[in-house]
Structures are given as C-alpha cells and as structure tokens.
C-alpha cells in the first residue's frame, strides 16, 4: 500500500523536496539569518501548486514537465541570489527584462558566482544524464503515466493555495521588499509583484500641481533672492567628469603609507569638496547617474531610465538649458553608445554630439573599451577644438577602467598591495582606482597645459557604489572596518565624492551639507549664471542651502531617504525603519521624521508624473 502510494504520488514530493533544498541556498544568500523552518510553509506551497497543475492536466510526458518546471524555478532562484550579491535587492521580472545586459558585462557577472551557487543545478545534470539512457527513459514514461491519487491531490492543492494566500495577503502592504519576500516566500513575492504591477497603477499627479514651489516646500527650502556666487563663472566652459565606481572613502586614504588616489586627494584639498554626497543611481547604475545629473529628476521605479518611457520624452536637462544659453554640448565615453540605450538617452536629454567607441577604438582595452588613459588623451584635443569656437561648451566625460570586477592588466599596476589584499575584491578595487587616479592625473595635466583649466568650471563625482557590502566575505569586511574605523555599511557604500573647480573665485574648501547627484544641475547653473527659474528641477543649489532631503531608489527599500544627519531605511512601514548615522553608520533611535518619509515619496511621485506628461520627442 505504502509502496503503491509512493509510486503514484512520488514525483510531486520528490521534486518539491529538491526545490526546497535550492530555496534554502537562496535564503542563505539573501536573508541575514539564512533559511529557517518557515521555508516549508512559504516556498513548498508554491512548488505544490505548480506540480499540481502538471498532475491535473498532463497525461503524457509528465516527468518532462516536472523537469522543465524544476529548471525554470531553479533559474529564478539563481537570478535572485546573483542579483542580490551585487545589488542587495530581490530581482523581479523587471530585472530579468535586462538579462541581455548580462552577456555584455560577462566578467562582472561571472565574478559574483560562488561555487556553492552551482549546487542548485546538480539535480538537473543528474536527471539529464539518466534521461537519455534507454532503460531509464522507459521507466520515466511508465512513472509519468501513473495518475496521482485524486483525493490527495485535491487536499494538497487546496492547502497549498490557502498557504500561499495566507503568506501573501497579510504582507502585501510592506514597503521593504526584502522583508516582504521573506514573509511571502521568494516565489510568492515574484508572482505577487507581477500581479500587483499589472493591476495596481500609480496615480499620476496632474502636471499643473507640480511646481518648483511645491518641490521646495517638500524639501523645506527657499530660493534666495540674491544667491551667493551667482554667475561667477558666467561664459566659462563646463566640464563634468563622472568617475566609474568611485566611493568617497578613497579620498585621503592610505594603505601601508601609499596614497591610493593622490591626484584626487590634491584636487579635493585645492578646490571645493563635498564629503557628504550620495549617488542617486538606480538599476541602470552608470547610465542612471548620467540621467540624474543631466536632468535633476529621479530615476523611474522599477527599471533603468534608459529602458523606460522617459527616453521618448523631451526631458528638461542641463544640455538643453545650456544650449539655450549659447553652449555647444557633447558627451564622451569609450563604450558603444548602444550599450544601456545611451543613444536614446542623449536624444532625450538633448546632447548635440556624442563620442563613443567608434571614435576611441579599442586600443589598450580595459573593462568594456579603451583605457582611461586613451579616453583622456583623445578627449583633451576635442575639448580644445570646442574651446576654440566663439561660444562656450558643456562636455561630459565618463571614465570606465575601474569597473567591477576591477581587474586591470598587470602593466597598469602603480601600487603594491599588502599581501592580505591580494586576490580580494577590495584589493582589486583599490588597485583599479589607483590606476584610474593615475589616468586622471594625466587628464588634469592636459587640461592645465591646454588652458582649459583656467577657462572652465570643472566638476568631478563618482557614479555609484563600487564595493557592494553583500559581496564581501568576512575577511574583506574586517579589512574595510580597519580602513574606515567603523563597520562598513549603507552610508559608506552610497557615499561618493563631489569636487568642483572654479577658475573665477575661491569657493569654500569643504562643505558638509548633504547632497546628491540630483543637486549638480542647479549648483553649476548658479555658478554659470544660468537661471533655472523656468526649468523644473528636484535638486537644490548646494552653495545656497542649509538642509536637504534626498529620496533613494532601487538599492534600498521603497521609502528610504537621506536627510542632513541620517540615512533612513524603511521597515515594513515608517515606524520600524532604521536610521543610520551619516557620520559612522551607527543606528540611532531618531534622525528622521515621518513627515520627511512622506515628503520623500511625494517627491519621487511628482518627478515620475511630470516626466510622463511631457511631450514626446519629435
């Protein structure tokens, strides 16, 4: 009797057990406290429902359908743990829509794989091996033809469906995506996200209700009648330098007596340096940083700006603003312009011209194109040509050599790492940024020798985090704590430097006001004497404000934001969220208000609503 029961009902329980083991691996990677007995009630019911459909409707090739379902669910778990390893968030169908990018950043993706991740594919290899052996094919067919006991199937399907609903519904209002996935179960969360996005549409705020005054009121700021430093660099060129994966902890850092970034250290000492500055990039990382800096709007909720409907709009932007004031505009990057859909980005934000791999070639290849040395060597002559014209220019220059996984050729090594750093992500990161700083030094020399340094407002900032805390092992976390003097956390990871060189006036040496990439447009516009009064923007002029509120997207739970003292990370709602001190990443009992929490979400909603109602590009 028992043997007969097992023969008829065995596949559904066997495959469910196999997938349970795989879910445990995913939970171990994604959730701080790893797998627990709760996965029996959050993950297994989903497996049972999928396999029940096979039992109800498949009369032939039943085992094959089991295996296909097993493979599909395995791939979801693998995508979840790989995505979390770098981004620190749960991958949903939104992220999977960007899967084509994986092949283009292959080395970066493969570097994230830890050998035990591949454990979840062992059973698939095992099944494939036996499936193509004749005696086992006959056995699979025979077992696949057996119909599962119907009363048993009805009971386990009903119970599983009830458990899925019980897991999903009480937790659907949680704002913390990680907590939501843990409470619902990873697969339930994936299905719920798909369902919610197709049935619950965000209400669009009428563009007539979105004004600069309403934005400033939410941020608790007012625009001064006579702003400081207005127009001190009027008529000067603007050069914006975006530095790949550059985090602020590198500034002034030494390792065994060696300065890691001597050129940028000097730049920070001799010019205005914002040390409390943060990335606003989302899923699109580097291209998102380009979008935010050039538009002073936030990135969309669930996708890169360059993959969104934003690219069909004539977005108010820095290139358009400066073009209206007589500037030529151009952007410089050694990768192919089609990567991350940049060609459409540059149309949407109005750049006159772009220079990409077709201009730089592929010589001295590092990461995805020519090295930073080639980038800067070929860019300076082009900037000189632009400078020779009667009108000023705006140029955006983006470095790329220090891209994850930070593996540069040995002939580019310019510093000796301590032995304990060799072969680690942190060591590779430090060495790559040391090389990037070396190349930056050559660029600075080129700007000075060509006369551009004395005729241009030049700004430097990092595009996004380079050392994900989720990727570091315990040894590397200890090394980070040794370097920083405190545990490495969110506030360190998203902190990037912002440095400005003005050829016309001595600006303050260092400003501690909280700022973000969203603030660059109004800040440089003030110095250039270009009014933003008639151009909506969500950033603020950092030289003329004393407070800030910066909503965050994608890398932290929905509702997270930065204020003057803390980085607030949402819990299930505001009340159980955590405030991390911007000074040392310690958790404080207060540091934010629910009013700021509400205002930050409203700002994101206003930004998205306004762009969606813009006219389409002609």
């Amino acid at each position: 009797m028992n043997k007969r029961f097992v023969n008829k009902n065995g596949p559904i329980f066997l495959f469910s057990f196999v997938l349970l083991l795989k879910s445990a691996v995913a939970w171990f990677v994604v959730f701080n406290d790893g797998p627990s007995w709760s996965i029996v009630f959050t993950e297994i019911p989903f497996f049972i429902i999928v396999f029940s459909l096979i039992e109800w409707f498949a009369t032939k090739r039943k085992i094959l359908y089991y295996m296909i379902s097993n493979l599909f669910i395995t791939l979801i778990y693998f995508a979840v743990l790989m995505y979390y390893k770098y981004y620190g968030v749960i991958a949903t169908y939104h992220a999977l829509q960007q899967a084509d990018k994986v092949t283009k950043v292959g080395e970066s993706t493969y570097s994230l794989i830890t050998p035990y991740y591949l454990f979840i594919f062992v059973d698939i290899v095992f099944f494939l091996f036996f499936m193509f052996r004749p005696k086992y094919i006959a056995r699979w067919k025979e077992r696949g033809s057996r119909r599962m006991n119907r009363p048993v199937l009805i009971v386990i399907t009903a119970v599983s469906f009830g458990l899925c609903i019980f897991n999903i519904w009480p937790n659907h209002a949680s704002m913390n995506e990680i907590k939501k996935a843990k409470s619902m179960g990873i697969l339930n969360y994936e299905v719920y996200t798909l369902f919610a996005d197709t049935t619950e549409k965000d209400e669009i705020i009428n563009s007539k209700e979105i004004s600069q005054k309403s934005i400033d009121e939410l941020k608790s700021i007012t625009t001064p009648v006579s702003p400081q430093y207005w127009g001190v660099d009027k008529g000067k060129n603007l050069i914006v330098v975006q530095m790949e994966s550059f985090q602020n902890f590198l500034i002034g850092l030494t390792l065994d007596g060696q300065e890691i970034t001597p050129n940028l250290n000097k730049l920070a000492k001799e010019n205005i340096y914002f040390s409390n500055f943060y990335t606003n990039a989302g899923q699109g990382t580097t291209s998102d940083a380009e979008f935010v800096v050039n538009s002073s709007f936030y990135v969309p909720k669930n996708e890169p700006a360059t993959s969104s409907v934003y690219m069909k709009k004539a977005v108010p932007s820095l290139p358009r603003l400066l073009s209206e004031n007589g500037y030529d505009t151009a952007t410089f990057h050694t990768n192919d312009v089609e990567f991350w859909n940049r060609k459409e980005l540059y149309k949407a934000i109005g750049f006159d011209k772009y220079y990409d791999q077709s201009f730089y070639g592929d010589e001295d290849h590092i990461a995805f194109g020519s090295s930073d040395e080639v980038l800067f060597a070929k860019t300076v002559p082009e900037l000189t040509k632009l400078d020779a014209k009667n009108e000023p220019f705006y140029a955006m220059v983006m470095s790329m050599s220090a891209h994850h996984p930070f593996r540069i050729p040995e002939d580019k090594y310019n510093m000796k790492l301590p032995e304990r750093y060799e072969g680690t992500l942190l060591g590779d990161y430090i060495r790559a940024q040391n090389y990037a700083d070396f190349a930056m030094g050559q660029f600075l020399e080129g700007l000075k020798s060509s006369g551009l340094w004395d005729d241009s407002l030049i700004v430097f900032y990092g595009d996004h985090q380079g050392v994900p805390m989720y990727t570091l092992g315990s040894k590397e976390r200890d090394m980070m704590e040794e370097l920083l003097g405190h545990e490495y956390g969110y506030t360190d990871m998203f902190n990037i430097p912002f440095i400005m060189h003005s050829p016309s006036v001595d600006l303050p040496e260092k400003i501690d006001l909280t700022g973000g990439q969203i603030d660059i447009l109004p800040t440089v516009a003030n110095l250039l004497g270009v009014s933003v009064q008639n151009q909506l923007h969500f950033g603020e002029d950092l030289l003329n404000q004393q407070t800030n509120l910066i909503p965050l997207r994608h890398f932290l739970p929905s509702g997270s934001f930065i204020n003057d003292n803390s980085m607030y990370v949402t819990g299930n709602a505001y009340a159980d969220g955590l405030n991390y001190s911007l000074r040392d990443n310690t958790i404080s009992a207060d540091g934010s208000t629910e009013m700021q929490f509400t205002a930050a979400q409203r700002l994101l909603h206003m930004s998205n609503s306004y762009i969606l109602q813009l006219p389409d590009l002609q």
Side-chain angles (χ1 to χ4, degrees):
M1 181 72 176
N2 288 337
K3 184 176 181 181
R4 184 178 167 191
F5 179 87
V6 170
N7 285 337
K8 293 182 70 174
N9 306 316
I12 197 168
F13 297 113
L14 172 63
F15 279 90
S16 293
F17 177 74
V18 168
L19 285 175
L20 180 65
L21 296 178
K22 298 180 184 187
S23 71
V25 174
W27 276 57
F28 181 79
V29 173
V30 173
F31 303 121
N32 289 335
D33 50 0
S36 67
W37 284 107
S38 65
I39 63 175
V40 174
F41 303 102
T42 56
E43 302 293 339
I44 284 185
F46 187 93
F47 310 151
I48 296 292
I49 290 175
V50 172
F51 297 145
S52 293
L53 292 174
I54 296 173
E55 291 292 342
W56 280 112
F57 299 108
T59 55
K60 296 180 179 180
R61 303 185 181 89
K62 192 163 65 175
I63 299 300
L64 176 62
Y65 295 136
Y66 267 100
M67 292 183 63
I68 291 172
S69 300
N70 177 31
L71 175 61
F72 183 70
I73 293 173
T74 300
L75 290 173
I76 292 175
Y77 280 134
F78 186 69
V80 165
L81 62 87
M82 286 291 291
Y83 198 79
Y84 182 85
K85 189 74 179 279
Y86 184 80
Y87 291 103
V89 296
I90 302 287
T92 63
Y93 73 96
H94 299 288
L96 298 179
Q97 288 173 336
Q98 306 300 317
D100 62 307
K101 305 295 189 301
V102 172
T103 59
K104 298 177 182 178
V105 292
E107 185 182 15
S108 183
T109 302
Y110 302 145
S111 71
L112 298 172
I113 297 177
T114 300
Y116 73 82
Y117 292 3
L118 301 178
F119 165 77
I120 66 175
F121 292 103
V122 168
D123 66 299
I124 294 170
V125 175
F126 178 83
F127 280 131
L128 286 175
F129 175 77
F130 284 101
M131 268 198 74
F132 294 101
R133 303 187 68 174
K135 71 174 182 178
Y136 288 102
I137 293 175
R139 187 177 299 175
W140 291 127
K141 284 183 177 180
E142 192 271 329
R143 288 188 176 178
S145 65
R146 298 171 186 166
R147 297 179 65 82
M148 187 174 178
N149 183 289
R150 280 330 191 222
V152 172
L153 184 57
I154 291 170
V155 170
I156 64 171
T157 302
V159 171
S160 296
F161 184 78
L163 283 172
C164 285
I165 297 299
F166 178 78
N167 290 327
I168 292 171
W169 187 249
N171 300 297
H172 79 281
S174 173
M175 296 187 69
N176 187 310
E177 290 80 1
I178 298 289
K179 290 187 175 183
K180 186 185 290 188
K182 185 176 183 181
S183 299
M184 290 183 175
I186 291 174
L187 298 176
N188 286 330
Y189 172 72
E190 297 291 342
V191 172
Y192 169 78
T193 301
L194 180 61
F195 176 79
D197 287 354
T198 53
T199 58
E200 302 172 9
K201 299 297 181 183
D202 288 337
E203 182 181 346
I204 300 297
I205 301 171
N206 192 301
S207 59
K208 293 178 181 178
E209 299 176 29
I210 305 172
S211 65
Q212 197 61 53
K213 181 181 178 182
S214 63
I215 293 169
D216 292 349
E217 286 176 351
L218 284 170
K219 299 181 70 175
S220 300
I221 62 174
T222 55
T223 302
V225 177
S226 300
Q228 276 190 301
Y229 307 110
W230 168 259
V232 295
D233 289 317
K234 193 170 186 64
K236 298 296 185 182
N237 305 315
L238 172 63
I239 301 174
V240 172
V241 184
Q242 180 168 290
M243 302 179 292
E244 176 63 43
S245 303
F246 197 99
Q247 290 181 224
N248 190 56
F249 75 85
L250 293 168
I251 299 293
L253 187 66
T254 60
L255 194 59
D256 280 4
Q258 303 170 90
E259 278 189 286
I260 296 170
T261 57
N263 293 299
L264 283 164
N265 293 345
K266 183 179 179 184
L267 198 65
K269 288 177 182 177
E270 297 177 351
N271 299 276
I272 184 170
Y273 164 47
F274 295 81
S275 59
N276 206 20
F277 197 80
Y278 297 87
T279 178
N280 289 111
Q283 187 178 332
T285 56
T286 297
S287 61
D288 272 357
E290 290 177 74
F291 174 80
V292 172
V293 167
N294 281 291
S295 67
S296 198
F297 283 85
Y298 305 106
V299 295
K301 184 177 180 180
N302 290 317
E303 58 189 337
T306 54
S307 299
S308 72
V309 70
Y310 290 9
M311 296 300 98
K312 298 179 181 178
K313 304 294 182 179
V315 179
S317 67
L318 187 56
R320 287 200 167 89
L321 181 67
L322 294 181
S323 291
E324 291 167 4
N325 285 268
Y327 279 69
D328 286 332
T329 64
T331 179
F332 300 78
H333 192 269
T334 58
N335 204 346
D336 189 329
V337 73
E338 299 294 344
F339 188 56
W340 281 119
N341 203 29
R342 279 191 171 91
K343 193 170 185 178
E344 300 307 311
L345 170 64
Y346 299 149
K347 289 178 186 176
I349 59 179
F351 270 111
D352 296 329
K353 187 175 182 180
Y354 63 80
Y355 294 77
D356 75 332
Q357 196 170 60
S358 61
F359 170 77
Y360 291 102
D362 199 32
E363 61 179 294
D364 199 25
H365 185 98
I366 299 178
F368 309 118
S370 294
S371 69
D372 285 357
E373 290 174 87
V374 173
L375 166 71
F376 294 136
K378 289 191 173 183
T379 297
V380 170
E382 296 303 309
L383 299 181
T384 304
K385 291 177 187 176
L386 290 171
D387 191 46
K389 297 181 180 180
N390 292 328
E391 59 276 350
F393 67 82
Y394 163 39
M396 185 170 195
V397 183
M398 288 163 286
S399 69
M400 189 172 63
S401 292
H403 193 286
H404 186 275
F406 316 116
R407 291 169 185 162
I408 61 172
E410 286 190 25
D411 62 356
K412 301 295 184 185
Y413 291 2
N414 292 306
M415 69 176 293
K416 181 174 176 57
L417 287 176
E419 184 62 32
R420 66 187 185 281
Y421 283 82
E422 290 288 353
T424 67
L425 177 73
L426 179 58
D428 290 342
Y429 175 74
I430 288 172
R431 181 178 274 142
Q433 293 295 359
N434 175 253
Y435 164 72
D437 180 82
F438 168 77
M440 182 66 72
Q442 295 182 338
F443 184 50
L444 297 175
E445 286 301 316
L447 293 175
K448 291 173 181 177
S449 63
S450 65
L452 290 165
W453 184 259
D454 296 323
D455 198 31
S456 306
L457 170 63
I458 310 175
V459 304
F460 306 80
Y461 66 91
D463 59 354
H464 55 78
Q465 68 273 26
V467 185
M469 36 191 292
Y470 330 99
T471 307
L472 300 178
S474 59
K475 174 185 173 183
E476 290 171 297
R477 286 195 293 270
D478 290 343
M479 288 191 291
M480 282 296 291
E481 186 168 353
E482 179 185 330
L483 291 174
L484 300 175
H486 61 261
E487 185 178 354
Y488 182 59
Y490 291 127
T491 58
D492 306 298
M493 185 167 65
F494 298 118
N495 184 203
I496 57 176
F498 177 44
I499 303 168
M500 289 198 301
H501 159 73
S502 168
S504 310
V505 67
D506 289 331
L507 297 171
E509 289 184 2
K510 187 176 180 182
I511 291 183
D512 293 325
L513 172 68
T514 297
Q517 292 164 337
I518 198 89
D519 301 312
I520 291 178
L521 187 156
T523 302
V524 300
N526 175 61
L527 291 171
L528 294 172
V530 175
S531 175
V532 292
Q533 185 175 355
N534 297 318
Q535 180 163 308
L536 197 76
H537 54 281
F538 284 80
E540 63 186 55
D541 177 4
L542 297 177
L543 297 172
N544 285 281
Q545 297 296 341
Q546 300 300 318
T547 187
N548 210 340
L549 179 66
I550 303 174
L552 298 173
R553 281 282 204 212
H554 190 67
F555 293 109
L556 289 175
S558 297
S560 300
F561 62 87
I562 303 172
N563 61 24
D564 298 328
N565 303 302
S566 301
M567 178 179 289
Y568 169 80
V569 178
T570 314
N572 288 313
Y574 173 74
D576 64 332
L578 298 174
N579 293 287
Y580 294 85
S581 168
L582 298 181
R583 180 175 54 84
D584 58 7
N585 200 54
T586 55
I587 297 175
S588 58
D590 51 13
S592 65
T593 67
E594 192 162 2
M595 185 179 295
Q596 290 174 329
F597 174 72
T598 303
Q601 294 175 78
R602 177 74 175 177
L603 287 167
L604 292 172
H605 194 185
M606 290 168 70
S607 173
N608 183 59
S609 296
Y610 189 84
I611 292 180
L612 293 180
Q613 294 172 81
L614 287 170
D616 288 345
L617 283 167
Q618 300 301 316

